[in-house]
Amino acid sequence: MTDGDPKAKVPPKTNKTLVQFIKFSLVGLSNTLLSEGIYVILVYFKMHYIPASFIGFSLSTVNAFYWNSRYVFTAGEKQSPIRLFFRTYLAYLGSYLLSAALLFFWIDLLHISRYMDLPAVWCTQHGLQGFDREFFGEAIAAFLNLLITVPLNFFVNKFWAYREKRQSSRRNFS
């Protein structure tokens, strides 16, 4: 190792994981914009937060599968696309179920919307109708969920859905 070589300071596996996480985050940003955009629009039009969340989840899972299998995880190239989609869907489904439970916690148990008077009043004063306490509570709840589900999604996808098969270290002596 030389002090002037930046690659020599970072072990290759750590560097690969960091690059994957950055790529996953970029894909996740588009995924989040799609999922949360659909969710916020549907909630704005008074759809209940659970079906709105599921519709956003469903469309964003297809987006995640496409970009993760082509851009982020190279192990995906070695797997059957149907199996890989199934595993990706299950990974995101687990995250969705956690997110739905957390939405219930934030919205129905904690009643986060009761803390959203300030932005709701500001919007009303500026002619933005429909941006009430409930809307802000549901939108903030979805954002809080991202702080938990994004890192979880990365690890589940990396180490389960797109896991690289290990080469067997056993030798066949027959």
Side-chain angles (χ1 to χ4, degrees), residues 75-84 87 160-165:
E77 298 168 356
K78 302 169 190 162
Q79 297 183 39
S80 155
I82 293 169
R83 181 175 188 260
L84 191 56
R87 290 174 74 103
W160 183 68
Y162 292 89
R163 134 183 111 219
E164 292 184 28
K165 297 199 182 221

Side-chain angles (χ1 to χ4, degrees), residues 89-162:
Y89 186 83
L90 285 178
Y92 281 96
L93 180 62
S95 178
Y96 167 74
L97 293 173
L98 173 62
S99 183
L102 288 170
L103 281 174
F104 177 76
F105 170 76
W106 298 121
I107 295 167
D108 291 327
L109 297 180
L110 189 63
H111 302 287
I112 196 169
S113 62
R114 67 180 161 194
Y115 304 106
M116 299 296 140
D117 284 333
L118 185 62
V121 168
W122 186 90
C123 286
T124 301
Q125 289 173 345
H126 290 84
L128 300 170
Q129 303 306 316
F131 293 95
D132 56 12
R133 286 173 21 157
E134 287 73 27
F135 169 79
F136 279 107
E138 292 172 2
I140 295 297
F143 174 77
L144 292 173
N145 286 355
L146 293 174
L147 300 175
I148 298 166
T149 59
V150 170
L152 179 65
N153 278 335
F154 174 73
F155 288 108
V156 170
N157 275 286
K158 178 171 178 57
F159 296 111
W160 183 68
Y162 292 89

